[in-house]
């Protein structure tokens, strides 16, 4: 899934972190560092999603959101804010936000919410099957069974979660940071090769037969990509 995203965030380090992560997922990211510039871009160009910080210089995020809705734009808006109490969340949603994510947050959750909002906008992607496929590799999320062709593959729970995460993002580059957050629930780098070990073990299981084409590819300097090409 790809799309054009407007990120309105005045914290340069956080904006870099978000923009780089989304770019790795093939999204096009435009940026604004204050509310006035963000509002101009939001109303002047066509975006699939706006990620909006609530506390901004020049014009705060709530004013930007209200102006976007007053202009008649239905572009999905995801608010980011250090104000995570219930009243603040309700205020944001009532003002017209489609989702609200409190800081600090993990990139994996931000990505999941981004994808959910974009799927909601696209009827073709609104229903997700319980069976995931990549070439002749098949994973059933309900029965927890994995097959490649007629061959049954037995995976440990962590290996299943790892493969499921890859298959939900078939064709996309998955970074080590994303895997640490989503599969291990680490929000820091443990300084070990735990990911490489598990990926190698998973690769041996899904590519164990001589006539099976490689599916799990290493992308040098970036991470991994599951694809039948």
């Amino acid at each position: 899934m790809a799309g054009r995203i407007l990120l309105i965030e005045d914290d340069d380090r956080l904006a870099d972190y978000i923009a780089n992560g989304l770019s790795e997922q093939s999204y096009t990211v435009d940026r604004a560092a204050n509310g006035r510039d963000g509002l101009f871009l939001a109303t002047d160009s066509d975006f699939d999603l706006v990620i909006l910080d609530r506390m901004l210089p020049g014009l705060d995020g709530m004013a930007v959101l209200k102006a976007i809705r007053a202009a008649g734009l239905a572009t999905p808006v995801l608010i980011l804010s250090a104000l995570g109490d219930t009243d603040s969340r309700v205020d944001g949603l009532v003002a017209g936000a489609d989702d609200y994510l409190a800081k600090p947050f993990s990139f994996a959750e931000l990505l999941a919410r981004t994808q959910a909002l974009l799927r909601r906008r696209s009827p073709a992607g609104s229903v997700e099957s319980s069976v995931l496929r990549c070439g002749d590799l098949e994973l059933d999320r309900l029965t927890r069974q994995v097959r490649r062709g007629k061959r049954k593959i037995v995976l440990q729970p962590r290996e299943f979660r790892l493969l499921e995460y890859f298959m939900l993002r078939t064709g996309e580059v998955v970074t080590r940071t994303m895997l640490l957050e989503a599969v291990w629930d680490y929000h820091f780098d443990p300084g070990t090769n735990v990911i490489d070990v598990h990926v190698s073990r998973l690769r041996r299981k899904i590519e164990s037969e001589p006539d099976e084409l490689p599916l799990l590819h290493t992308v040098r300097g970036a991470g991994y990509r599951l694809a039948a090409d």
Side-chain angles (χ1 to χ4, degrees):
M1 182 186 299
R4 187 181 180 197
I5 297 173
L6 173 60
L7 173 61
I8 309 176
E9 170 61 64
D10 65 319
D11 184 325
D12 287 338
R13 290 184 62 185
L14 180 58
D16 286 342
Y17 174 71
I18 294 172
N20 290 338
L22 292 174
S23 296
E24 288 175 349
Q25 298 301 310
S26 300
Y27 294 104
T28 299
V29 182
D30 290 27
R31 291 169 55 172
N34 62 71
R36 295 189 184 280
D37 289 346
L39 178 58
F40 173 78
L41 289 174
T43 54
D44 187 61
S45 303
D46 185 26
F47 293 95
D48 297 297
L49 174 69
V50 175
I51 298 177
L52 174 65
D53 182 26
R54 180 162 176 168
M55 292 181 284
L56 292 165
L59 193 66
D60 70 78
M62 292 292 282
V64 172
L65 173 60
K66 291 175 181 178
I68 289 174
R69 295 300 182 236
L73 296 176
T75 308
V77 175
L78 168 60
I79 288 183
L80 302 179
S81 179
L83 303 175
D85 60 279
T86 300
D87 288 343
S88 296
R89 292 172 182 268
V90 170
D91 288 345
L93 296 172
V94 169
D98 296 88
D99 201 354
Y100 194 109
L101 183 59
K103 299 177 180 178
F105 54 85
S106 71
F107 179 75
E109 183 176 6
L110 173 66
L111 179 61
R113 289 172 182 256
T114 294
Q115 292 171 334
L117 289 172
L118 293 176
R119 281 198 303 269
R120 191 183 306 170
R121 204 180 191 204
S122 172
S126 59
V127 178
E128 189 175 84
S129 172
S130 65
V131 178
L132 306 176
R133 295 183 177 86
C134 178
D136 59 350
L137 180 65
E138 181 179 292
L139 179 147
D140 192 319
R141 305 172 75 188
L142 296 180
T143 65
R144 311 282 297 181
Q145 292 186 344
V146 178
R147 293 182 177 277
R148 183 152 192 193
K150 296 181 179 180
R151 180 171 66 89
K152 184 177 180 179
I153 302 173
V154 178
L155 298 179
Q156 297 299 317
R158 183 84 68 182
E159 294 167 345
F160 185 91
R161 288 178 59 192
L162 183 60
L163 180 59
E164 179 185 29
Y165 192 81
F166 278 126
M167 294 190 75
L168 285 168
R169 293 155 182 81
T170 296
E172 302 176 7
V173 174
V174 175
T175 67
R176 287 174 172 80
T177 299
M178 292 167 61
L179 292 174
L180 284 172
E181 291 183 347
V183 181
W184 277 266
D185 198 28
Y186 289 168
H187 302 289
F188 61 93
D189 187 346
T192 70
N193 64 343
V194 60
I195 291 179
D196 297 322
V197 170
H198 278 78
V199 169
S200 295
R201 188 179 300 156
L202 176 61
R203 182 183 282 128
R204 287 196 298 269
K205 289 188 176 183
I206 66 175
E207 301 172 3
S208 64
E209 300 299 320
D211 59 341
E212 291 176 339
L213 295 176
L215 293 178
L216 189 49
H217 310 276
T218 299
V219 181
R220 188 178 299 275
Y224 304 95
R225 185 172 69 96
L226 184 75
D229 57 20

